[in-house]
Amino acid sequence: MSSTLLKQAPVLANPAQAVTRAGDLFTWWTGDSVEVFDGRLSYRYTIEAAGPVRPLGPGAMMAGRLLIPLSTGIGVYEPTTGENQRTIAVTHPAGNGPVVPAVTGSLVIEQHGAALAAFGPKT
């Protein structure tokens, strides 16, 4: 068993909505950052707000990259180090609580409250 002290307590009424399994990682949105843990729940790194860019929810894995919903789009991160590689500009669905992503094939599906959105290649 492992433990990691957080800088502050999560701000969610139901934190289970803000935890995802992303490949071999677990991601936990705390309300203003994303804590990333390995498959044994050992702490790996934190993705924090940087100026006006802030995480909006937990992550999902796609094509070997960790995707995190950000206030400016979808952040693409190197999963072993947490290094931001780029941001894909999208507008997230309006709603309350975290933006929770999932991946199916070449689509990223996001749930934000009762709203759903799908992002993928142009056809």
Side-chain angles (χ1 to χ4, degrees):
M1 178 179 277
S2 131
S3 65
T4 300
L5 294 176
L6 300 177
K7 292 179 183 178
Q8 61 187 16
V11 297
L12 301 173
N14 181 2
Q17 319 174 358
V19 175
T20 59
R21 176 83 190 228
D24 293 334
L25 302 174
F26 289 95
T27 67
W28 180 20
W29 182 65
T30 66
D32 64 357
S33 65
V34 176
E35 305 289 335
V36 179
F37 301 87
D38 67 20
R40 298 183 57 158
L41 297 180
S42 296
Y43 173 78
R44 299 290 299 273
Y45 51 85
T46 300
I47 297 172
E48 296 182 293
V53 180
R54 65 188 191 293
L56 299 179
M61 195 68 74
M62 183 179 203
R65 296 293 175 247
L66 181 61
L67 305 181
I68 302 287
L70 301 174
S71 56
T72 55
I74 299 172
V76 180
Y77 293 84
E78 205 299 312
T80 57
T81 64
E83 177 186 348
N84 181 272
Q85 297 182 323
R86 66 189 180 114
T87 300
I88 302 167
V90 300
T91 301
H92 302 288
N96 296 319
V99 175
V100 181
V103 171
T104 180
S106 61
L107 293 177
V108 176
I109 312 254
E110 291 186 340
Q111 179 176 2
H112 192 192
L116 288 175
F119 306 104
K122 293 182 181 182
T123 58

